[in-house]
Amino acid sequence: MTRLHLFDLDGTLMYGSAAPVEISRQLGVGAEIAQLERSFAARQIGPHQFSVAVHALWAELTPAHVRAAFDGAPWLAGIRDVWQEIRRRGEYCAVVSLSPSFFVELLLEWGAHAAHGSVFPEVPFTRPVEEAGILTPEGKVMVADRLCEQFGVTRGDCVAYGDSGTDIHLFEAVSVSVAVNARPHLAARATHVYEGRDLREAYQIVAVARPEVDAS
């Protein structure tokens, strides 16, 4: 039996930061994104309002800014090692995040089988953000269900890794969950809890020993 590992990005794969924060840092609008992040965390604005606001904030965004933000982000150690091991076991790994798809999809380069984020227009922006493309916490479960169908697994075969309230619905939907550097209210709902900066250690909590396949 195989498994599907579902990874949140902001605060989970990335330690103490988020894609919008790293992108905004490249544009010199750190104070503005900090205020938006606080409003979102306090539920004063929702995912669509947040996305519209950052779209306006990033009017000067270029692909070079996106790449610099990605390359300079505080990623956990061992991400590529974990995904390589998951592939070796014949399992699947995917990233499901509320952050912009143009950033999330860069993780395909590191070995994720799939990467889903909020659908933003191409960079540099020439079109507005469409509400239908913005992912919500509930929408993460819908994406997970589509991935289950794609990879031939069920929710019972899934492991979710997350850090915040946007992961609660997904944690409740799957059989195993790992709270990674998480807020207390999510950690209390998780199967396992990990604090640290190495994804290999978080993955090891749920890794299942398998006999090696004889390739001869």
Side-chain angles (χ1 to χ4, degrees):
M1 182 179 294
T2 190
R3 294 193 297 180
L4 170 60
H5 299 259
L6 299 161
F7 295 91
D8 173 53
L9 190 161
D10 302 320
T12 303
L13 295 177
M14 193 182 290
Y15 185 82
S17 191
V21 173
E22 297 302 315
I23 293 169
S24 296
R25 183 174 290 125
Q26 295 297 320
L27 294 168
V29 289
E32 292 85 345
I33 195 64
Q35 180 58 52
L36 286 173
E37 290 275 354
R38 286 192 293 268
S39 296
F40 182 75
R43 299 185 180 181
Q44 295 169 347
I45 59 174
H48 181 242
Q49 292 169 297
F50 180 88
S51 297
V52 169
V54 297
H55 178 274
L57 191 63
W58 298 341
E60 303 302 320
L61 187 64
T62 68
H65 290 127
V66 176
R67 175 56 67 175
F70 183 86
D71 291 344
W75 300 106
L76 292 192
I79 294 173
R80 280 173 278 197
D81 293 339
V82 168
W83 292 351
Q84 183 179 22
E85 174 65 11
I86 288 171
R87 283 177 171 269
R88 187 189 69 78
R89 288 175 176 267
E91 299 178 354
Y92 302 97
C93 53
V95 182
V96 184
S97 171
L98 271 60
S99 279
S101 52
F102 60 75
F103 189 97
V104 179
E105 290 168 3
L106 293 176
L107 286 164
L108 294 171
E109 300 173 3
W110 288 8
H113 287 93
H116 291 267
S118 292
V119 179
F120 270 62
E122 298 80 5
V123 176
F125 299 141
T126 57
R127 296 182 292 109
V129 173
E130 296 184 6
E131 184 172 4
I134 301 306
L135 200 58
T136 64
E138 297 85 352
K140 282 190 170 188
V141 179
M142 297 174 64
V143 171
D145 284 341
R146 293 199 300 269
L147 290 170
C148 283
E149 183 176 359
Q150 177 182 345
F151 296 124
V153 299
T154 69
R155 290 184 181 183
D157 303 315
C158 292
V159 181
Y161 305 74
D163 77 303
S164 71
T166 62
D167 301 303
I168 286 176
H169 293 283
L170 189 57
F171 272 35
E172 292 175 343
V174 304
S175 61
V176 178
S177 55
V178 184
V180 180
N181 299 314
R183 291 163 178 78
H185 64 278
L186 185 72
R189 298 168 181 257
T191 311
H192 307 284
V193 176
Y194 172 73
E195 296 285 338
R197 298 195 181 193
D198 195 321
L199 190 64
R200 290 166 293 201
E201 296 171 353
Y203 170 72
Q204 192 58 41
I205 296 173
V206 296
V208 176
R210 275 189 169 186
E212 298 292 336
V213 177
D214 187 352
S216 61

